[in-house]
Amino acid sequence: EFEFDIDPNSTKARKLNLELWDHDSLSDDDQIGYYDLRLKDYINVKKSEQLNFIGVGKHERKQVGLLDYEVEVRSKAEVDKQKAYQANVMKQREIEAENLKKLQADQKKLEQQQEKERKEEEARLAKQKKEEEARLAKERKEEEARLAKQKEIEAANLKKQQLQQEKEKKEEEARLAKQKKEQEEQQKKEEIENAKRLKRRQIEDMQLKQQQQIPEEIDDIGTDVKNVYVKIIGVQNVAAMDSNGKSDPYVKILFDGKQMGRTKKVANTLNAEYNE
């Protein structure tokens, strides 16, 4: 996640610039596309949206990647106030946790003492009982041994039958579960693909409409210092830039011509996940 402060009084810039790049380890990186966001649209509201990067170079004006992102523009004073409050809450929780830890330690110490006394009493009674039982044990031993041996034989035979039945049951359940899972996964894949196609069409229609209707202007976002929050979730359907049909995409965040942040690069893919 990226955060930075801007002062509307010191710049005329009112847009956040996002750029999609392809990493190249042997030469300069290549820009794939760009998109500009109006800060006015994100004042005091966090939006999770998607956009299509507009291609440059050999992909001029084409859609070169579908970006998932979050943006919010907040008053810096409110952000600082919220952070201070959260810090106080964390400190109070630490104090409460320490007090609880001390109370638990005292309780444990008491329980250990009680446990020690209980075991000593149990040991005394066990010794007394053992001496009494020793006299009867010798008489029962031979009879118990005979019965135990017979019981072991019967139990072993029964166990063998049960294991065989259980094995057959599990194999059948596994076969049915695998068959059901494969059917559910296939159905889920189809539903996801249909949903993605519908969502992409909706986004493309909405962006085209916005580009046609919104005139070029300097948006009024107020005069107080703003804090801009940006989260780059991931990008899909990136235009291929390399000979292997893949790209090494990463995203730059710019404001007023300056780079404010950059995601990691993901190698050899057309669908990258960042969560930054």
Side-chain angles (χ1 to χ4, degrees):
E1 299 176 359
F2 306 91
E3 284 190 41
F4 55 90
D5 300 332
I6 62 173
D7 186 354
N9 298 306
S10 64
T11 177
K12 293 182 178 181
R14 294 295 186 269
K15 291 184 178 181
L16 189 66
N17 314 118
L18 302 179
E19 296 180 351
L20 179 62
W21 287 74
D22 173 54
H23 174 75
D24 195 329
S25 58
L26 300 178
S27 62
D28 293 338
D29 293 354
D30 299 316
Q31 185 176 359
I32 305 175
Y34 71 94
Y35 199 91
D36 298 334
L37 300 177
R38 298 195 315 171
L39 296 179
K40 180 181 179 181
D41 296 336
Y42 302 91
I43 297 292
N44 296 327
V45 57
K46 181 183 290 187
K47 295 183 179 180
S48 299
E49 298 180 325
Q50 289 185 322
L51 61 82
N52 272 306
F53 280 110
I54 301 171
V56 298
K58 67 180 182 180
H59 298 293
E60 182 76 24
R61 305 303 299 172
K62 295 180 181 179
Q63 294 181 356
V64 293
L66 181 65
L67 178 70
D68 292 281
Y69 68 96
E70 289 182 356
V71 172
E72 181 180 11
V73 180
R74 303 165 290 179
S75 168
K76 183 177 185 301
E78 288 297 321
V79 172
D80 293 342
K81 182 178 178 181
Q82 183 179 8
K83 288 181 178 179
Y85 171 76
Q86 291 174 344
N88 289 333
V89 170
M90 290 299 297
K91 184 176 181 181
Q92 183 62 33
R93 289 178 178 175
E94 290 175 358
I95 293 173
E96 293 174 354
E98 186 64 25
N99 291 337
L100 177 60
K101 185 177 180 181
K102 183 177 179 182
L103 179 62
Q104 290 174 337
D106 293 340
Q107 180 66 24
K108 184 176 181 180
K109 185 176 180 181
L110 176 60
E111 291 174 352
Q112 288 175 342
Q113 179 61 30
Q114 293 174 341
E115 181 68 11
K116 180 180 178 182
E117 294 174 355
R118 184 186 65 80
K119 287 182 177 180
E120 289 175 349
E121 178 63 15
E122 287 179 349
R124 186 187 65 81
L125 294 174
K127 182 179 179 181
Q128 179 180 342
K129 183 179 180 181
K130 185 176 180 181
E131 292 172 349
E132 178 65 21
E133 291 176 344
R135 184 178 61 86
L136 300 173
K138 186 177 180 179
E139 298 176 358
R140 295 196 306 266
K141 190 174 181 179
E142 291 182 358
E143 180 63 16
E144 288 176 350
R146 186 186 66 80
L147 294 175
K149 185 174 181 180
Q150 181 180 348
K151 187 176 181 179
E152 286 177 0
I153 295 172
E154 294 173 352
N157 293 333
L158 179 60
K159 183 68 174 179
K160 185 176 180 180
Q161 296 176 358
Q162 291 174 340
L163 288 174
Q164 181 61 29
Q165 294 173 352
E166 185 68 19
K167 179 181 178 182
E168 294 173 355
K169 180 181 178 182
K170 287 183 178 180
E171 289 175 350
E172 179 63 16
E173 290 176 346
R175 186 187 65 79
L176 293 175
K178 181 179 180 182
Q179 180 179 347
K180 182 179 179 181
K181 184 178 180 181
E182 290 174 349
Q183 294 173 348
E184 291 175 347
E185 288 178 349
Q186 181 61 32
Q187 182 179 357
K188 187 175 181 181
K189 286 181 180 179
E190 294 174 356
E191 292 174 353
I192 291 174
E193 287 302 319
N194 291 335
K196 284 183 177 179
R197 285 195 292 269
L198 177 59
K199 189 171 184 180
R200 283 198 294 269
R201 286 198 296 270
Q202 292 174 343
I203 292 172
E204 292 170 358
D205 292 343
M206 180 183 66
Q207 290 178 346
L208 180 60
K209 184 177 181 181
Q210 289 177 345
Q211 292 174 357
Q212 293 174 347
Q213 294 180 354
I214 299 176
E216 207 42 56
E217 62 180 10
I218 296 179
D219 297 321
D220 181 15
I221 63 172
T223 59
D224 60 318
V225 177
K226 297 294 190 295
N227 175 266
V228 180
Y229 162 87
V230 182
K231 182 175 183 180
I232 303 300
I233 299 172
V235 64
Q236 306 172 39
N237 304 325
V238 175
M241 299 292 289
D242 299 334
S243 59
N244 63 357
K246 302 290 186 179
S247 289
D248 306 317
Y250 62 89
V251 177
K252 289 184 179 180
I253 302 166
L254 302 97
F255 177 76
D256 198 16
K258 299 178 182 179
Q259 181 170 313
M260 313 305 293
R262 172 187 150 165
T263 68
K264 63 186 178 183
K265 64 101 174 176
V266 180
N268 296 323
T269 185
L270 300 181
N271 299 286
E273 182 176 336
Y274 303 107
N275 286 317
E276 297 186 30

